[in-house]
Amino acid sequence: MIKTVNGGVCAAKGFTAGGVHCGIRKNRTKKDLAMIFSETPASCAAVYTTNLVKGAPLTVTKRHISDGRARAVICNSGNANTCNSDGIEIAEKMSELTAEALNIDPEDVVIASTGVIGQKLDIEPIANGIPKLVESLSENGGRDAAEAIMTTDTRVKESAVEFTIGGKTCRIGGMAKGSGMIHPNMATMLVFITTDAAISSEMLELALKNDISGTFNMVSIDGDTSTNDMVTVLANGEAGNPEITSDGEDFAEFMRALNSVTVCLCRMIAGDGEGATKMLECTVSGADDLDCARVVAKSVICSSLLKSAMFGSDANWGRVLCAIGYSGADVNVEKIDVSFKSAAGEITVCKNGAGVDFSEDEAKKILLESEIEILVGLNSGTESASAWGCDLTYDYVKINGDYRT
Amino acid sequence: MIKTVNGGVCAAKGFTAGGVHCGIRKNRTKKDLAMIFSETPASCAAVYTTNLVKGAPLTVTKRHISDGRARAVICNSGNANTCNSDGIEIAEKMSELTAEALNIDPEDVVIASTGVIGQKLDIEPIANGIPKLVESLSENGGRDAAEAIMTTDTRVKESAVEFTIGGKTCRIGGMAKGSGMIHPNMATMLVFITTDAAISSEMLELALKNDISGTFNMVSIDGDTSTNDMVTVLANGEAGNPEITSDGEDFAEFMRALNSVTVCLCRMIAGDGEGATKMLECTVSGADDLDCARVVAKSVICSSLLKSAMFGSDANWGRVLCAIGYSGADVNVEKIDVSFKSAAGEITVCKNGAGVDFSEDEAKKILLESEIEILVGLNSGTESASAWGCDLTYDYVKINGDYRT
């Protein structure tokens, strides 16, 4: 049984967190520096952006956690520390200052940054902020940390669940940021997950890699794969379950719990896409293979034309067909069914690749809701997949037409 | 010597054209049916969308011109005749009516449709419109035809040039429509080109296929590859030059003339993208191979974030680097230079993959122009390529949020 609980990254035993305003951002009411701390050593796994242009923090983090261990996360918003000649140096300095304040090894620190690319990151406010941040660490600090990693996000994104392994109650919780430049590929936006389940770093990495291909890699806000995407999981074993070191029922239960948290964060990220008024979920069923289902779902979610139609609550299903057609997936167009679904009902708009008569009024009512499901039936095989995105709005253009200034 | 001339699809000898309002569109001031006619038999080549969902007119056209010959083009706007159960039947009927009125073989008719997907196309207004359209055919009708194929286009797109082959003056001219759902792949929007040069259908097809990979396939408005993209060329040989039947200097000159027309139409299509206020041209130089240059240029042009920044005249060059990084091209990030250029000047914003100090005021002045060049130097090899697109604006969202209703 997997049960939803509160607490975000502090839901699991032995983790504290905090978030403060240190001065990277000019707005004093906006927190810009977050920390997560595990009181005991923890297994750590991470996945990173596939963008060739990589933020300096990713390079440093990758090296630090190469031994599969970490104890702390330091993350700033307001500046991505990317495409800067002194980027690595600043990222190393951030981890040294963090390690010093926490009395741990700098190699046990995960570093992340998000914000503008190509502007030098000043270490001064961070150096001043870290002592204050360490002092603020608490078991109730998950929300402060989640606030401090937000950029254009309008809502805090946290999720946590409770589950049982070997008779022991375990928890897994996470926080995420991600609003624009979201189109992850083999990695994603910034996501930090903690768990008190005992699991080896090898199995933790396997769990994470298996999970993201159907979760964070299926989210797209704007088709732009960021330079700083990263998902990390820390597992400190405080739950006392027999350590998961191989495949089996315990690992399967851990994967299910992890998936509950990641899917929840995916939906939150999609629904809070830059300028979004609606969360879109495309579920493709009846595919010949999983890859086909994923490619089709993601292509639909990425179509600027469909995203604009959803903004206007226009049941323009031809754009769904069009996006399936150019997805690259090998599908039989003449078997495709399409429906729109929301809290207001469900309506079929296309059967066997051609339009069917439907009530435009009914369709409008369904599409005026804030969470829309686009159901695509390929009627060929048995595989299915979902992808998450949002509508394209005036505000997306507004936010990104003038982001730096 | 290649010289620009007027006349569009009627610039070349022996071609007439026309455009009328027949009633597919409700707005009586908007022409919706276009025709091009060659007084004598002509070679014909075409390329089509790679979208698996294909408009019925493409299927019919492909069959009609399989012998490399055609004499007439009929094209309606307002309805794409795609995803309709009776689509093929209607497209065949359109060509029969055209052939009858022109006293030619139905197999010599090219059919095209553009507009909404998934709504049945009524043959009635087309049947009534064709006699009037045939009557209106004239050597000055290129502009009427170009107007009749427009959908959300705001400007007529025509281009023509004059050149010499074997001592004979030849002309080649074309018209295009394309404003949204523009992200061609191995084919493109609707483009009709005519020439009086004598060239075999095999060489005509080769010329077209070679040309589009560097022209129409390098244009993107919104990343959506249409179901009805098509480029056709008709060559009637009326210029009297020795027929081009193989590679050589004559073919090279024909290719150069064709390229003058197609690049001109690409720039027109990009500059008139749905909602666009600016035409963007990304030129990538110093690439190891042509494919790398093209992939990078197209990735930059397609970035929603960069497109939004250009709308806001914001020199956010980090988004150029980001788009290069996720393009999939194998580039050395630390060698990349980026400049912005327009009629107001040129400014370097990134050297060796990192930012350089530049005047924001100067950059703003450059980016306020209506045609912006984004110059990317990879500083590795000798190949270069250009791609064309436009900014992402409130109006793109507005136009596509309520296209059908």
Side-chain angles (χ1 to χ4, degrees), chain A residues 48-341:
Chain A
Y48 311 90
T49 185
T50 52
N51 197 313
L52 280 185
V53 179
K54 281 189 212 319
L58 278 68
T59 307
V60 174
T61 297
K62 209 166 185 173
R63 188 153 44 71
H64 283 189
I65 69 165
S66 59
D67 62 351
R69 315 293 296 168
R71 281 189 66 185
V73 173
I74 179 91
C75 175
N76 73 279
S77 58
N79 187 314
N81 191 19
T82 299
C83 296
N84 296 329
S85 50
D86 64 352
I88 299 284
E89 194 187 316
I90 295 289
E92 285 288 15
K93 191 73 192 159
M94 274 174 77
S95 52
E96 280 160 27
L97 290 163
T98 303
E100 200 180 334
L102 292 169
N103 197 24
I104 62 172
D105 188 331
E107 303 284 308
D108 282 343
V109 179
V110 167
I111 312 103
S113 298
T114 176
V116 185
I117 297 173
Q119 286 182 8
K120 294 208 174 189
L121 175 59
D122 187 6
I123 194 70
E124 194 74 19
I126 296 171
N128 294 335
I130 283 176
K132 191 168 60 162
L133 184 56
V134 169
E135 207 173 309
S136 79
L137 289 175
S138 95
E139 284 173 16
N140 302 316
R143 194 180 169 89
D144 284 343
E147 281 176 13
I149 63 172
M150 291 163 70
T151 56
T152 50
D153 303 62
T154 67
R155 292 192 288 270
V156 167
K157 298 170 191 73
E158 293 183 290
S159 173
V161 296
E162 192 172 281
F163 55 107
T164 310
I165 290 183
K168 297 287 181 182
T169 300
C170 302
R171 284 181 162 193
I172 183 164
M175 66 179 189
K177 73 116 322 203
S179 199
M181 209 179 264
I182 300 291
H183 182 83
N185 183 15
M186 295 308 292
T188 182
M189 43 246 121
L190 291 184
V191 179
F192 303 100
I193 300 167
T194 56
T195 180
D196 47 21
I199 180 167
S200 70
S201 60
E202 291 78 14
M203 294 310 287
L204 191 62
E205 191 172 342
L206 184 63
L208 183 61
K209 290 205 166 150
N210 283 347
D211 187 75
I212 60 156
S213 52
T215 57
F216 298 116
N217 283 358
M218 295 301 286
V219 176
S220 184
I221 303 296
D222 51 16
D224 279 270
T225 301
S226 166
T227 53
N228 287 48
D229 290 339
M230 174 158 61
V231 187
T232 64
V233 193
L234 291 173
N236 66 6
E238 292 288 304
N241 62 293
E243 192 184 26
I244 300 167
T245 55
S246 62
D247 207 351
E249 183 43 41
D250 286 356
F251 185 63
E253 181 68 1
F254 181 79
M255 285 283 292
R256 280 190 289 271
L258 178 65
N259 194 251
S260 296
V261 171
T262 55
V263 166
C264 181
L265 292 174
C266 283
R267 293 176 58 99
M268 286 178 178
I269 288 165
D272 194 27
E274 281 179 341
T277 68
K278 289 174 191 174
M279 196 278 286
L280 308 180
E281 180 175 72
C282 177
T283 299
V284 174
S285 58
D288 285 331
D289 56 65
L290 185 59
D291 193 49
C292 168
R294 285 178 175 168
V295 164
V296 169
K298 199 152 179 190
S299 185
V300 170
I301 281 301
C302 289
S303 160
S304 294
L305 285 167
L306 180 69
K307 288 155 67 82
S308 300
M310 292 297 100
F311 172 58
S313 304
D314 181 8
N316 199 329
W317 61 268
R319 293 178 179 172
V320 176
L321 267 277
C322 179
I324 296 169
Y326 66 66
S327 68
D330 185 19
V331 300
N332 182 342
V333 176
E334 288 168 13
K335 284 182 167 184
I336 299 174
D337 298 339
V338 179
S339 304
F340 294 112
K341 186 180 171 184

Side-chain angles (χ1 to χ4, degrees), chain B residues 14-17 35-40 71-73 102 104 137 234:
Chain B
F15 286 96
T16 56
M35 192 179 280
I36 306 171
F37 180 54
S38 171
E39 287 157 16
T40 53
R71 281 189 66 184
V73 173
L102 292 170
I104 62 171
L137 290 174
L234 291 172

Side-chain angles (χ1 to χ4, degrees), chain B residues 286-328:
Chain B
D288 285 332
D289 55 66
L290 185 60
D291 192 48
C292 168
R294 285 178 175 169
V295 164
V296 169
K298 199 153 179 189
S299 185
V300 170
I301 280 303
C302 288
S303 160
S304 294
L305 286 167
L306 179 69
K307 286 156 68 80
S308 299
M310 291 297 101
F311 172 58
S313 304
D314 180 8
N316 199 330
W317 60 269
R319 294 178 178 173
V320 176
L321 268 276
C322 179
I324 296 170
Y326 66 66
S327 68

